[in-house]
Amino acid sequence: MEKEYKVKIFTGIRPTGDLTIANYLGAIKPIVDMAEERDINPLVFVADMHALTDSEPSVAKKFTHEVVADYLALGLDPERTTIFIQSAIAPQILTLMSYLSRHITVAELLRVPALKDKLKKNAREETANALLFLYPVLMAADILIQRPEYVPVGEDQESHLEVARLLAKRFNARYGDVFPPPKTYQMKSLRILSLKGKGKMSKSVPEGAIFLTDNIESAVQKIKKAVTSVEGKMTDGLLSNIIIAKELSKNENDKMRIDEIIAEHMSGKKVMGEFKKALANSVSGFLTDFQARREKIIRNPETIKSILKRGAEIAAKNADETMALVEKAMFSR
Ligand code: ATP
Ligand code: MG
């Protein structure tokens, strides 16, 4: 009956502060490209309420605005994307979260893999606040309230989407079809490695990472110290650096030049110095442009405000429609 998708693609970003070029290439660029290539208009939200799990409200608030500026400067086009802040529809989300919470058990929540992981790594059951425990239900509420068809996820988030589907199914079985099950949108998996050659590039391991906020000189220094490979050999680290160099370069000539250097390398020539220069050139060109765009965006808080206002209106309209269906299904029988 009422069960229909409202949004084609729905995705969230966590306001965690400084991003790396790996975050850009792996998570942000695919959304930017998607919005550019096809007529989808992704709905993107900044998960400021999720950030309260481990950040003080003032910190979450600061990073929320930073992250919006980052995304706009990285090319997310406000004409082709709808952006809103999660807390703009806090009452609707929290109401749905409490209704959904009735349909999952305490034991089931403790088994959600992403939660178990976090409890193993940097939180403990004895001291973690209960918001961490409710995280999967909050995320399910975020998603289901917008009734999206697809949610793009990296592999670490798949278990949360599972919870959203499970809760949708249980709610529908109990009260009638309200939530169309959200489908996984498989992102091209891209794993940028640390410049130090070991493990992936992560913002929590700054030595091997290039941050979007790095000044050009220090980014170039990091690249100078990056591990390379002996002549004639292709390694995972070199492959990852080639991807960075090509993806961040602005023109076809530079990309072709990189291919030439690598062909020479594979034929046994000593050209890694030259490759690093090309890599440094791509990265510094990208960072310079990004930082200039971001500067300009930050100087225009009114523009950001109006983008978020329009986003909040659309998100609230979807949320109100969903909550009307939810409450009709639950209470008018
Ligand atoms: P942390 O060290 O705090 O885990 P992170 O750099 O791994 O930080 P996350 O916040 O865990 O970043 O992930 C943000 C997004 O960036 C995710 O969608 C993730 O898939 C993507 N991402 C993170 N690291 C990489 C990487 N090395 N290559 C490609 N994509 C990445
Ligand atoms: Mg990570």
Side-chain angles (χ1 to χ4, degrees), residues 191-208:
R191 196 161 178 265
I192 302 294
L193 301 184
S194 159
L195 294 177
K196 293 283 174 196
K198 278 220 179 71
K200 76 166 196 79
M201 188 180 288
S202 291
K203 53 178 130 64
S204 49
V205 190
E207 310 84 67

Side-chain angles (χ1 to χ4, degrees), residues 49 89-104 134 136-148 164 167-168 171-172 175 178-179 318-327 330-331:
M49 288 154 71
I89 53 167
Q92 295 95 320
I93 291 175
L94 293 175
T95 307
L96 182 58
M97 182 180 86
S98 64
Y99 293 159
L100 292 174
S101 300
R102 302 180 66 241
H103 300 283
I104 190 159
L134 282 172
V137 192
L138 181 57
M139 189 147 156
D142 289 326
I143 296 171
L144 296 179
I145 210 162
Q146 301 296 334
R147 282 182 286 154
L167 286 170
F171 188 97
N172 290 347
Y175 303 109
V178 169
F179 298 114
N318 289 343
D320 290 340
E321 281 173 22
T322 304
M323 288 314 285
L325 294 177
V326 164
E327 285 173 354
M330 288 175 71
F331 299 109

Side-chain angles (χ1 to χ4, degrees), residues 12 14 16 18-28 71 121-122 153-157 187 189-194 199-205 209 211 240:
R14 268 164 41 89
T16 42
D18 292 342
L19 299 168
T20 69
I21 54 171
N23 299 141
Y24 166 63
L25 292 174
I28 303 164
Y71 271 66
K121 273 193 215 144
N122 42 23
V153 283
E155 49 186 342
D156 50 337
Q157 297 286 303
M187 299 250 260
S189 75
L190 180 67
R191 196 161 178 265
I192 302 294
L193 301 184
S194 159
K200 76 166 196 79
M201 188 180 288
S202 291
K203 53 178 130 64
S204 49
V205 190
F211 288 88
S240 164

Side-chain angles (χ1 to χ4, degrees), residues 273-287:
E274 214 169 319
F275 173 70
K276 278 191 179 176
K277 261 190 219 150
L279 177 59
N281 187 39
S282 295
V283 170
S284 54
F286 172 78
L287 291 183

Side-chain angles (χ1 to χ4, degrees), residues 273-329:
E274 214 169 319
F275 173 70
K276 278 191 179 176
K277 261 190 219 150
L279 177 59
N281 187 39
S282 295
V283 170
S284 54
F286 172 78
L287 291 183
T288 306
D289 284 357
F290 165 78
Q291 289 169 7
R293 273 197 306 269
R294 194 180 191 286
E295 244 335 277
K296 227 163 120 190
I297 289 166
I298 287 283
R299 267 189 265 127
N300 252 318
E302 288 308 313
T303 310
I304 299 188
K305 238 193 202 160
S306 83
I307 292 169
L308 295 176
K309 181 164 173 276
R310 195 178 51 100
E313 281 162 10
I314 293 171
K317 182 167 179 289
N318 289 343
D320 290 340
E321 281 173 22
T322 304
M323 288 314 285
L325 294 177
V326 164
E327 285 173 354
K328 184 167 155 233

Side-chain angles (χ1 to χ4, degrees), residues 107-118:
E108 280 172 322
L109 278 178
L110 284 171
R111 283 200 298 270
V112 172
L115 185 67
K116 262 171 57 181
D117 250 27
K118 205 145 195 183

